[in-house]
Amino acid sequence: MDRIQIRGGAKLNGVIPISGAKNAALPLMIASLLTDQMLTLENLPRLADVNQLARILGNHGVDYSIDGKRVGEEAASGQTAHLRARTIVDTTAPYELVSKMRASFWVIAPLLARMGEARVSLPGGCAIGTRPVDLLLMALEKLGATIEIDGGYAVVKAPKGLVGGEIEFPKVTVGGTHVALMAAATARGSTLIENAAREPEVADLADCLNKMGARVRGAGTSTIEIQGVARLNGAHHRVLPDRIEAGTYATAVAMTGGDILLEGVGEDLIKRPLEALEEAGVTIVGDNRGVRITRNGAGIDAVDVATAPFPGFPTDLQAQFMALMTRARGTSRITETIFENRFMHVQELARLGAHIKLEGDTAIVDGVDRLRGAPVMATDLRASVSLVIAGLVAEGETTVNRVYHLDRGFERLEEKLGACGADIIRVPG
């Protein structure tokens, strides 16, 4: 397995181009199952998860191709991909594929909408429970589907087609909102989604569906209205910038000091994380090129944050911000309200000298004067990059093992940081 080696102490200066959003790219790719026409996606990030989903979609009959490099195209430019599901050849998504990526469960909506049936493995082989899919299935049921759990699979049927209805989620669910949008786009009649997720990636999916001929209003708010249409067509859509990648690099600059332009992203996508960084003592200026992050000389102030659905502080930036707070002056409290068991990075940060105590869903972080390099292990996608951020200031060498987690969600991370002065290399396994 590859690993990443970092020698801490270098400030970050320069430009970091922000890639297309993984959390938008995956549902957009899945939406290709809704039509027999071509869906072209620009600015698709080069990520392990994107490649894995392409293989999963191929199992259902989606032809997938990537444009070759064009004249004048830089390495930072996103890919342009063409997806076409002329014929759905298989409505079963098997365990061995779904277990590798939770988001692939979302194929259940377009398969059901287009073919009247689907048989999809429950993610990770687990039944309704931790990070459940019960709300996703509830949404389909509200649109007229019958559902049976059989041998670890969700078997859904609507032989006469889906029918519009009212879906009110008892709690905000991004996956549930994605599934409801895709299922309702071609359902007969109108659908109302209440307490919908407001994440930008939801609005991006709705924008793409509208380009395909859907009639969706209100995406990006808590109430979404969909008027079903008979069929969807092909479309051309550009994936929005990755706000989690942008927030991660903003936090890295806050940690190391320096001056970085996050190119191609707007302040509106990362408003709450930027506010937290400003409270910590970072200078932030937005312009038509992106967002400039600067910390020169000033120390890091302790800031309390609690994760929340958009527009709140993202759970996907919690680990990164915790890494920053390990060097803050004073004590900070970081509360995780979205996912349980999302403090797995705490023990690894402690190996670098961090002082963190857990009390239920809150991590109490006492800032320290210095961190020291050590071998650490990535436990999940976001936790792994928090270790990189800590390693950027740790004395000596930090080795981050199991970086395949990083490759799922960060495109060319070591190249982007290295180009801005970080002493960071990838060591092949």
Side-chain angles (χ1 to χ4, degrees), residues 323-386:
L324 175 65
M325 290 296 99
T326 64
R327 289 291 311 280
R329 296 176 295 211
T331 300
S332 59
R333 298 174 65 88
I334 298 175
T335 303
E336 174 57 59
T337 70
I338 308 296
F339 294 125
E340 71 278 16
N341 301 327
R342 208 165 198 186
F343 285 143
M344 291 188 290
H345 45 284
V346 167
Q347 294 306 316
E348 297 302 307
L349 288 172
R351 289 177 54 78
L352 302 174
H355 290 178
I356 306 170
K357 181 172 65 174
L358 295 180
E359 290 186 357
D361 62 359
T362 298
I364 300 168
V365 187
D366 293 321
V368 297
D369 291 334
R370 60 182 181 175
L371 299 174
R372 291 184 174 176
V376 290
M377 187 169 292
T379 53
D380 62 54
L381 168 56
R382 307 307 175 184
S384 58
V385 82
S386 75

Side-chain angles (χ1 to χ4, degrees), residues 64-315:
Y64 178 80
S65 65
I66 298 287
D67 283 355
K69 196 168 183 180
R70 299 297 188 256
V71 175
E73 188 174 289
E74 300 176 0
S77 303
Q79 310 176 96
T80 296
H82 307 278
L83 301 96
R84 187 169 188 182
R86 288 181 177 86
T87 304
I88 303 294
V89 298
D90 195 343
T91 57
T92 295
Y95 168 75
E96 56 268 24
L97 294 179
V98 178
S99 63
K100 295 177 181 177
M101 182 192 302
R102 288 192 61 88
S104 63
F105 184 80
W106 302 341
V107 300
I108 197 168
L111 290 175
L112 176 65
R114 187 165 163 193
M115 303 301 292
E117 63 178 23
R119 183 173 179 268
V120 180
S121 171
L122 295 168
C126 63
I128 315 301
T130 302
R131 294 189 69 184
V133 296
D134 56 339
L135 298 183
L136 285 67
L137 296 177
M138 178 272 286
L140 298 177
E141 215 165 24
K142 293 288 187 181
L143 301 180
T146 61
I147 297 168
E148 180 184 356
I149 305 299
D150 179 26
Y153 282 75
V155 181
V156 295
K157 296 180 180 179
K160 296 181 179 179
L162 295 170
V163 180
E166 292 190 11
I167 302 167
E168 182 171 358
F169 289 114
K171 64 178 182 179
V172 174
T173 163
V174 174
T177 305
H178 283 321
V179 162
L181 275 174
M182 287 189 277
T186 55
R188 294 191 306 278
S190 60
T191 297
L192 183 68
I193 305 174
E194 296 281 11
N195 199 28
R198 299 162 59 188
E199 272 68 7
E201 295 80 14
V202 169
D204 204 42
L205 174 61
D207 184 28
C208 180
L209 290 173
N210 284 340
K211 291 175 183 176
M212 296 167 71
R215 297 168 64 185
V216 181
R217 294 173 52 196
T221 75
S222 57
T223 300
I224 302 177
E225 301 173 39
I226 305 109
Q227 183 65 45
V229 297
R231 56 169 289 144
L232 294 178
N233 305 307
H236 201 113
H237 182 77
R238 183 174 179 82
V239 181
L240 91 169
D242 195 320
R243 62 194 173 95
I244 304 304
E245 184 193 38
T248 297
Y249 289 127
T251 307
V253 183
M255 181 65 125
T256 64
D259 186 336
I260 288 287
L261 175 68
L262 303 175
E263 188 176 49
V265 68
E267 290 178 275
D268 57 321
L269 280 180
I270 46 174
K271 187 172 185 292
R272 179 64 192 106
L274 292 181
E275 289 172 349
L277 291 178
E278 283 185 314
E279 292 176 50
V282 178
T283 301
I284 295 163
V285 179
D287 60 27
N288 59 0
R289 289 185 63 198
V291 179
R292 185 171 295 280
I293 312 292
T294 309
R295 185 177 73 81
N296 290 321
I300 301 166
D301 295 326
V303 178
D304 296 343
V305 299
T307 62
F310 189 86
F313 193 95
T315 181

